[in-house]
Amino acid sequence: LGSRGLGDVYKRQSCWSITPSIGFCRRRFLSTIFARRIRRSWPRSVRSGAKIYGMKGAIIMGCITTYSGEAFNPAQPNPTKIHIADIAHALSLLCRANGHFKQFYSVGQHCINCAMEAKARGYGPHVQLACLLHDASEAYLSDITRPVKEHLAVYLELEGRLQGAIYEKYLTTALSQDEWEWVKDIDNQLLLYEFQVLMPKQVFPQQAHIVGSLQMELLPFEQVQKQYLGLWRQLSQHGEKKGVGA
C-alpha cells in the first residue's frame, strides 16, 4: 500500500458505488451541478452556515448523537468517536430496501449474511471482516437505495470518506484488488437473493449465486446486534490492530 491507508484504497476503488458507466458519470455530474444551483438559491445566512461546518458539499450538518452518546459529525469523521457498538446497534435497526420487503430485514443482518457467505466461499477472515463492515457508514448516514444514491453526489462523497475512515480503523489486513471484487460480488449477490426471498414479486430476472446457508428469517434486533458484535470480535482476533479502541 505504500503511504496509502486502507481508507484511501476504499475511496480510490469506490467499490460500493454502482458500477460506473457513461450514464452514471453524467448523472453524477448533473446532480453536482444541480446541488450547486440549489446552494446559490439559499439565503446568505444559510450559505454562511454551510461554510462554518467546513463542507465542500451542499448540506448543513452539525453532529448526530449516537447510541453511545457521542456527538459525531458524519461529514468530518473523527476515528476516536467511531465505535463498533454504535455501528452494530444502528445497523440492527435499519431496514433494507427502504422497508419494502415482506418483513423487517436489517442492514445488520445483511452484513452478517455477507460475512457468512464469504466464509462459505472459503475466503479468509480479513475478507469476511470487510464484508461485515462494508455498510458500516450507513450507521451514521442511513441506508439509501441504489437508484436514488446514484443521483446524490454529496452523499457519495460523504459515504466514501466515512466508510474509508471505518475501514482504516477496523480492517486488520489490506485487501488486494481481487479481494475487494469478492466483497463487491457478495454484496451484489446478497441483494439479488434478498429480493428473491423477501420481495412480494420478482424484481430481477437473474438468479443469485449463493453458496452458504443464510439467515433470512425475522430476527429480533437485539439478536442481530449481539451476533454482529460477536462476529466482529471473532474476526478481529485474526489480526487486531494495536492501539485501536472499539
Side-chain angles (χ1 to χ4, degrees), residues 13-156:
Q13 293 174 335
S14 299
C15 54
W16 276 269
S17 298
I18 296 175
T19 303
S21 63
I22 295 176
F24 168 73
C25 294
R26 180 174 180 272
R27 289 192 297 272
R28 184 167 180 177
F29 171 75
L30 291 176
S31 68
T32 304
I33 297 300
F34 179 73
R36 289 175 181 170
R37 290 179 180 175
I38 291 294
R39 287 199 297 278
R40 294 193 193 104
S41 70
W42 290 352
R44 184 180 299 274
S45 60
V46 173
R47 294 199 300 269
S48 300
K51 293 179 181 178
I52 289 173
Y53 288 108
M55 285 188 59
K56 290 167 56 180
I59 302 172
I60 300 175
M61 183 181 291
C63 294
I64 64 171
T65 302
T66 68
Y67 173 63
S68 66
E70 292 280 15
F72 184 80
N73 186 342
Q76 297 178 335
N78 180 348
T80 65
K81 293 189 174 186
I82 295 173
H83 303 301
I84 198 68
D86 284 336
I87 292 171
H89 180 77
L91 295 187
S92 72
L93 289 167
L94 278 179
C95 192
R96 291 271 287 171
N98 252 15
H100 293 288
F101 282 152
K102 292 185 288 187
Q103 65 187 40
F104 182 81
Y105 177 82
S106 70
V107 176
Q109 192 168 347
H110 162 78
C111 292
I112 292 168
N113 278 334
C114 284
M116 292 170 61
E117 176 65 13
K119 183 178 181 179
R121 294 185 182 194
Y123 300 154
H126 57 300
V127 177
Q128 297 172 41
L129 182 59
C131 286
L132 184 70
L133 295 170
H134 79 276
D135 279 338
S137 61
E138 295 178 7
Y140 304 98
L141 298 174
S142 194
D143 182 26
I144 296 180
T145 57
R146 294 189 186 190
V148 177
K149 186 185 293 187
E150 66 173 297
H151 298 287
L152 304 179
V154 175
Y155 177 93
L156 291 169

Side-chain angles (χ1 to χ4, degrees), residues 183-196:
V183 176
K184 181 179 179 181
D185 179 62
I186 288 174
D187 186 30
N188 288 332
Q189 294 303 319
L190 258 291
L191 182 145
L192 291 176
Y193 186 71
E194 290 160 359
F195 272 69
Q196 289 171 17

Side-chain angles (χ1 to χ4, degrees), residues 6-8 10-11 72 77-79 82 159-170:
L6 292 167
D8 294 322
Y10 169 78
K11 286 179 279 188
F72 184 80
N78 180 348
I82 295 173
E159 181 187 50
R161 185 186 308 153
L162 179 52
Q163 187 65 42
I166 293 169
Y167 277 149
E168 190 74 44
K169 180 167 183 174
Y170 290 123

